[in-house]
């Protein structure tokens, strides 16, 4: 039974969603503000976070940014009709979907179910157990990436993207192809979500002086770079 954390400063909305989700067979937990949401993510270890954008003490966008830096926890945003810019930013930060207020509890339940279904791991092409390209090395079985032998802390999705690119270093992968390799055909996610994970990957490698790990081919997608440490 999947656990859903509902983070919203409106107790009526929290209770309404908790009732609908529990009726659908989910377990729920609640948080009344952004800071409480982060604490609950650590303590309750939910399978999905329903996150309001406008909350006191810490906005939903800031919560999303901190959660996404550490994990691939699925996130469904709740937003008002006049928050289009925030919704776009939320997707760029790595949110999986959003629902506009006022909403139907049945719609939220359906979207939660769909996100969790997509998040289930699907068989993906697996390169050899050990792979090396330039100064980059991958241990596929251990889900570990290293630069010059020093491990880097990557999320499951970040490592999956890197593994996909490393499986065919000369190939340019479209965003759809990357998604298919990660989750299987039909995984519904925006291009911006893939871009967000690639941006996070580049940032982590840049922190160790690796600026040429992933190349962008305009209008096509991404490929593995030379991984020699130079700037692209």
């Amino acid at each position: 039974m999947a656990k859903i954390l509902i983070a919203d400063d409106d107790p009526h909305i929290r209770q309404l969603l908790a009732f609908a989700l529990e009726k659908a067979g989910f377990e729920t937990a609640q948080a009344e503000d952004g800071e409480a949401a982060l604490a609950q993510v650590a303590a309750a270890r939910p399978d999905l976070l329903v996150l309001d954008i406008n909350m006191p003490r810490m906005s939903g966008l800031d919560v999303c940014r901190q959660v996404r830096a550490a994990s691939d926890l699925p996130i469904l945003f709740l937003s008002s009709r006049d928050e289009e810019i925030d919704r776009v930013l939320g997707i760029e930060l790595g949110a999986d979907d959003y629902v506009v207020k006022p909403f139907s509890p049945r719609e939220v339940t359906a979207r939660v179910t769909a996100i969790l279904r997509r998040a289930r791991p699907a068989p993906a092409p697996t390169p050899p157990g050990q792979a090396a390209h330039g100064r980059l090395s991958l241990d596929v079985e251990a889900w570990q990436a290293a630069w010059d032998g020093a491990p880097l802390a990557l999320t499951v999705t970040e490592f999956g993207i890197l593994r996909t690119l490393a499986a065919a270093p000369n190939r340019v992968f479209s965003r759809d192809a990357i998604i298919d390799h990660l989750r299987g055909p039909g995984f519904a996610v925006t291009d911006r979500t893939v871009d967000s994970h690639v941006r996070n990957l580049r940032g982590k490698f840049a922190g160790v002086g690796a600026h040429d790990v992933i190349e962008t081919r305009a209008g096509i997608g991404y490929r593995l770079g030379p991984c020699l440490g130079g700037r692209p």
Side-chain angles (χ1 to χ4, degrees):
M1 181 168 56
K3 179 183 289 185
I4 312 301
L5 174 59
I6 305 163
D8 196 296
D9 60 325
D10 187 331
H12 174 70
I13 289 179
R14 295 199 307 271
Q15 293 165 10
L16 186 67
L17 290 179
F19 177 80
L21 290 166
E22 289 170 5
K23 186 177 180 181
F26 296 105
E27 182 182 351
T28 66
Q30 299 181 28
E32 69 276 7
D33 58 50
E35 290 184 359
L38 281 179
Q40 283 274 41
V41 166
R45 301 183 64 85
D47 298 291
L48 183 142
L49 173 59
V50 177
L51 183 61
D52 186 29
I53 288 181
N54 284 329
M55 288 190 296
R57 303 183 70 179
M58 181 181 292
S59 75
L61 294 175
D62 288 335
V63 173
C64 179
R65 186 178 289 108
Q66 292 198 34
V67 169
R68 191 54 73 234
S71 77
D72 294 314
L73 174 67
I75 296 174
L76 171 65
F77 264 128
L78 304 178
S79 66
S80 300
R81 292 188 181 277
D82 59 351
E83 295 172 340
E84 181 178 358
I85 293 177
D86 285 346
R87 294 198 302 270
V88 171
L89 179 57
I91 294 297
E92 290 179 342
L93 289 174
D96 296 86
D97 203 350
Y98 66 85
V99 175
V100 176
K101 297 179 180 180
F103 53 76
S104 160
R106 293 180 62 184
E107 178 187 5
V108 174
T109 300
R111 288 179 183 262
V112 164
T113 302
I115 292 171
L116 289 174
R117 185 183 300 120
R118 296 196 302 262
R120 292 175 188 148
T126 304
Q130 300 287 333
H133 188 78
R135 297 162 67 183
L136 171 70
S137 58
L138 302 178
D139 185 336
V140 175
E141 294 183 357
W143 288 74
Q144 179 65 65
W147 183 261
D148 281 347
L152 279 82
L154 304 182
T155 68
V156 172
T157 300
E158 289 167 357
F159 182 88
I161 291 174
L162 199 59
R163 180 185 66 174
T164 297
L165 300 181
N170 296 320
R171 174 182 170 185
V172 179
F173 288 81
S174 68
R175 292 164 179 82
D176 287 341
I178 290 173
I179 293 167
D180 287 348
H181 278 76
L182 286 174
R183 308 289 191 179
F187 181 61
V189 66
T190 67
D191 289 351
R192 284 176 174 166
T193 304
V194 174
D195 294 342
S196 175
H197 287 299
V198 169
R199 185 162 54 249
N200 289 340
L201 269 170
R202 284 173 168 159
K204 290 180 178 180
F205 277 96
V208 295
H211 301 278
D212 60 348
V213 173
I214 299 177
E215 295 180 350
T216 299
R217 292 301 175 92
I220 304 175
Y222 300 102
R223 62 172 288 177
L224 195 68
C227 299
L228 298 176
R231 293 188 177 274

